[in-house]
């Protein structure tokens, strides 16, 4: 295992202090049952809310499960013990509500007039076009 020097340790501590002051962190979190939203108060005074049905692992959670949310690691993440779900605050703010594969599946489920029109047109032509090797 590599040994760290005092200067490397001090630099890492300084980066941590800068991150605490500049990166968004959770200060408080709660589940709003009436509006079906997870509400996160950030240390910078902003508030962020999202519907639990869009987050991986929270889609079918009960109100009681959703209300049992905890803040992790100096406000860096959210944790639901009973559901074994962890979500990062920077990820949530970037619109990442799960793993890459989960987000890709959710994108494929999106509904829009353009997608519906394309599906109808492909149906008239005999279905989805074949991929060529």
């Amino acid at each position: 295992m590599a040994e760290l020097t005092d200067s490397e340790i001090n630099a890492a501590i300084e980066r941590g202090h800068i991150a605490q002051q500049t990166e968004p962190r959770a200060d408080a979190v709660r589940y709003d049952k009436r509006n079906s939203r997870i509400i996160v108060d950030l240390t910078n005074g902003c508030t962020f809310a999202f519907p639990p049905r869009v987050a991986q692992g929270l889609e079918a959670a009960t109100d009681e499960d959703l209300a049992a949310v905890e803040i992790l690691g100096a406000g860096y993440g959210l944790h639901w013990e009973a559901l074994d779900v962890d979500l990062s605050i920077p990820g949530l703010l970037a619109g990442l509500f799960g793993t890459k594969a989960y987000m890709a599946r959710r994108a494929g489920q999106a509904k829009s007039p353009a997608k519906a029109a394309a599906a109808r047109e492909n149906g008239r032509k005999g279905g989805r076009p074949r991929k060529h090797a």
Side-chain angles (χ1 to χ4, degrees):
M1 186 159 182
E3 291 291 322
L4 295 175
T5 65
D6 287 342
S7 63
E8 290 172 325
I9 292 170
N10 291 337
I13 291 170
E14 181 61 25
R15 286 192 305 273
H17 288 301
I18 291 169
Q20 279 184 322
Q21 295 170 1
T22 60
E23 293 177 3
R25 304 289 175 140
D27 189 42
V29 62
R30 64 194 175 282
Y31 174 62
D32 179 355
K33 180 179 175 180
R34 192 175 67 133
N35 295 312
S36 186
R37 295 280 189 265
I38 303 293
I39 301 172
V40 183
D41 296 325
L42 302 175
T43 55
N44 64 4
C46 294
T47 299
F48 173 71
F50 66 94
R53 64 178 160 63
V54 301
Q56 185 175 8
L58 302 181
E59 308 96 323
T62 66
D63 290 339
E64 292 76 27
D65 288 338
L66 293 170
V69 59
E70 304 170 328
I71 296 174
L72 287 180
Y76 186 73
L78 303 178
H79 176 69
W80 287 264
E81 182 70 31
L83 301 170
D84 193 25
V85 173
D86 296 309
L87 299 172
S88 80
I89 296 299
L92 290 170
L93 292 173
L96 302 174
F97 296 96
T99 63
K100 188 175 180 178
Y102 175 81
M103 293 302 293
R105 282 193 309 273
R106 294 236 3 124
Q109 296 171 349
K111 296 177 182 172
S112 70
K115 189 172 179 178
R120 282 192 299 277
E121 184 63 28
N122 282 338
R124 282 191 213 98
K125 294 178 182 178
R128 181 176 287 224
R130 300 259 185 238
K131 291 184 179 180
H132 298 287

